[in-house]
Amino acid sequence: MVSDGTHTGSDDSSSQEDGSVVDFRGDPVDNSKTGGWLAAGLILGTELSERICVMGISMNLVTYLVGDMHLSASKSATIVTNFMGTLNLLALLSGFLADAKLGRYWTVAISATTTAMGVTLLTVATTLDSMRPPQCNEEQRKNHECIVAKGSQMAMLYAALYTIALGGGGIKANVSGFGSDQFDVKNPKEEKAMIFFFNRFYFCVSLGSLFAVTVLVYIQDNVGRGWGYGISAATMIIAMTVLLGGTTTYRFRKPQGSPITVIGKVLYMAWKQRHLPLPSHPTLLNGYHDAKVEHTEKFRWLDKAAVLLVPSSLEDNINVGNFIGQEHKTNVISTVTEVEEVKMVIRLLPIWSTCILFWTIYSQMGTFSVEQATFTNRNLGSFVFPSGSLSFFLFISILLFTSLNEKLLVPVARKFTHNVQGITSLQRVGIGLVFSIIAMVVAATIEKERRDKYVNGQGKLISVFWLVPQYFLVGAGEAFAYVGQLEFFIREAPEKMKSLSTGFFLSTLAMGFFLSSLLVSLANKASHGGWMKNNLNKGKLDYFYWTLALLGILNFIAFLVFSCRHEYKRQINVSKENETNHMSLKTEAEQELQIL
C-alpha cells in the first residue's frame, strides 16, 4: 500500500533516473513500493530512541555529578556541556563517513549499536558502589568535607559518556537525511510531504525528550540510576530491531565519494591557478554545460579551479572544442559543479556562525537552570518535583509550537507569501534567536528575585515553577531554530553532502556547548568565582544570564545582516533557448581560446 504523500504513476522513476537512489537490492527504486511516510516513520523511531537516551542522561547528569560524585557546580556543568558538545561535533565525522563510504543506513545502524553499548556501560558505572565515592551528609557538604570522585571512577564515567557521544553523533548526523531521502523533491506531492517531515521529525525528537525528562528522570531519582539507564539501553535495542525490520521499504542514496576530497581539490586548484586570468564568459569553464548546479558570480576566485589550460601547441592533437563543456582529460581541473558545491558550503558559514549562540543559551537549561531548581521549593504535598524534570516545560513548549507551525503558522503564511514553505528556514531561525534573548532576560530577572527573597527573606524559597517561563521561552525558540537550521543546512548544501551538511548543522550545537564551557570559565576568572558559586545564594548567576542576553542581541544583529545577504541555492534549469544558444556560445569560447 502506498503511504500518504507518496507519488504514484508511470513517471515515478524519472525523479531517480540518475541511479543514485536505489532499493535494498541495489536496483532503481519503485516509488510506489518504497519511501514515503511508512519508511520515514520507521527511521524516526531511531531518533526517538536516541533522544530518550541522550536527554535522559544530559538533563539530569549535573545532579548526579554534584550529589553523588561530589563535584563542584561549575565543573559538573562543564562536563555536561563538553559531553553534549562532543556528541554534536562527532556528528560531523559521521556525516563525512556516510557521504564518503558507508551510506546513511549503515552509519545509523552502527551508531545505534554503539549508543546501546555506551548506555549499558553507563548503567554499570552508576550501579556499582565502587564506581562512586562514599555518601556525604548535609553537614559534610556545608563544611566541604565530601570525598570527590577519584580517577578510576571518573574514567569509567567518561568512557561511557563518550561512547554514547560517538553513537549519538552518528545517529543525529544521518537519521534526518536518511528520512528525507524517502521523499522525491522533484515530485511536488512528495516535496510538500518532506516540508512537514522536518516538523514531524522534531516532534518525535521532542516526544522522546519529554519522556526522558519526566519518566526516566523520576526513575533515576527515586528508583535508581541503573534502572533509568537500563530502560534507555533497552529502548535503543528495540529501535535497532525496528530500523533493520524496515530495510525493504527504504530508498537508499548511494555514497558519492568523499565531499572533503572535492572541497580540498577545488581549494587547491583555485590556489594553484590563482595567477591565471578568468575567462570572459563562464561557458569557458570546465564542465559548464554539464553542470548540475547553476553558475553564480559570488566567490569568483574559486572559478579559477575550473579554468582550462590551453594546449601548448597545435601538435597536441587535442581538439580545442573538447575543452568546452567537458572535464579535462586528466580529471585534475575541477568542474563548475564541484566549484559551485564548494561555494554553497562557504555561503553556509556566516549563518552557521550566528546559530552557535542559541545553543549556548539552550545549554543553560540542562546545567545552571537545573542547579537553580535545587534552591527552590519543589514540594507538591508529599511529592518532590525532580530538578531535572523542569525540562518537561521546555519540551511541552517545543511540541506546542512545532504543532502550531505545521497546523497554523505555515498554512496562513502560505496564503500571504504564495511560497510552499510558508516561512523560510532563515525566518524560523531568526524567530528562534529572538525567543532565546527574551528567555535570558527573564531568567536573569527571576534569578535575582529568587536570590533576594532567600537572602532578605531569611531563607525564604520561591516555588520551582517560577523557573518555568525561561524553559518555555527557550523551548519556543528551539521549535523555530532547530527546524529552521536543519532545513536550511540540508536544503542549501550540495545534494551529495547531505549527511555532512547535517553534521555541519549539528556542529553549531557542539560549538554552542563548548562556548558555554568557555564563557563559564571566563566568567569565573573575571569575577574571581563570584558569579557561579556552588551555593547559588552566594553567587551572581543573574549577571551571567544578562551577559548571554547582551551577546544574543549582538549576535541577532549579525544574523540579520548575513541572512539578508544570503542567496538561496538554485538548481540548473536548461531551457530550450539555452539549448539553441549552446553552439554559438561554444564557437565564441573556441575563438577566445585560439586568441589566447
Side-chain angles (χ1 to χ4, degrees), residues 424-573:
T424 67
S425 52
L426 288 180
Q427 287 170 341
R428 290 176 187 266
V429 175
I431 294 170
L433 293 178
V434 171
F435 270 115
S436 70
I437 295 168
I438 298 172
M440 286 298 95
V441 171
V442 170
T445 305
I446 290 175
E447 170 58 14
K448 185 178 185 303
E449 181 70 13
R450 184 204 65 77
R451 190 183 64 247
D452 288 349
K453 281 199 172 182
Y454 181 86
V455 174
N456 300 329
Q458 297 180 344
K460 184 178 180 182
L461 299 175
I462 67 170
S463 169
V464 67
F465 296 110
W466 275 94
L467 303 180
V468 169
Q470 63 203 59
Y471 279 89
F472 191 83
L473 288 166
V474 170
E478 188 179 357
F480 285 97
Y482 191 104
V483 175
Q485 289 178 42
L486 180 62
E487 183 180 355
F488 175 78
F489 283 96
I490 285 183
R491 281 180 172 271
E492 292 302 295
E495 186 61 34
K496 64 183 179 183
M497 298 184 190
K498 187 181 285 188
S499 291
L500 185 67
S501 67
T502 307
F504 194 50
F505 149 61
L506 292 171
S507 70
T508 65
L509 280 74
M511 294 299 105
F513 286 113
F514 289 141
L515 179 59
S516 176
S517 297
L518 176 62
L519 291 176
V520 167
S521 177
L522 292 175
N524 265 329
K525 287 183 179 179
S527 65
H528 303 291
W531 285 10
M532 287 158 286
K533 293 181 177 291
N534 286 352
N535 185 344
L536 294 185
N537 295 321
K538 298 179 179 179
K540 297 283 185 181
L541 182 60
D542 52 314
Y543 288 6
F544 184 63
Y545 286 154
W546 280 118
T547 301
L548 290 177
L550 178 60
L551 291 174
I553 293 171
L554 297 174
N555 181 71
F556 180 68
I557 294 171
F559 170 80
L560 289 178
V561 173
F562 292 143
S563 58
C564 288
R565 293 180 178 179
H566 179 77
E567 292 181 8
Y568 283 96
K569 181 175 75 174
R570 295 174 292 176
Q571 294 293 339
I572 195 75
N573 182 20

Side-chain angles (χ1 to χ4, degrees), residues 206-266:
S206 304
L207 201 62
S209 301
L210 189 62
F211 175 81
V213 300
T214 51
V215 178
L216 287 186
V217 167
Y218 179 82
I219 291 173
Q220 290 167 16
D221 286 351
N222 296 278
V223 181
R225 294 270 169 176
W227 281 101
Y229 297 146
I231 292 171
S232 297
T235 303
M236 185 54 69
I237 292 170
I238 293 171
M240 286 167 52
T241 306
V242 171
L243 177 74
L244 296 173
T247 300
T248 58
T249 68
Y250 303 140
R251 299 173 189 171
F252 302 85
R253 186 173 293 278
K254 293 179 180 178
Q256 298 182 40
S258 168
I260 301 296
T261 304
V262 174
I263 294 171
K265 174 186 173 182
V266 170

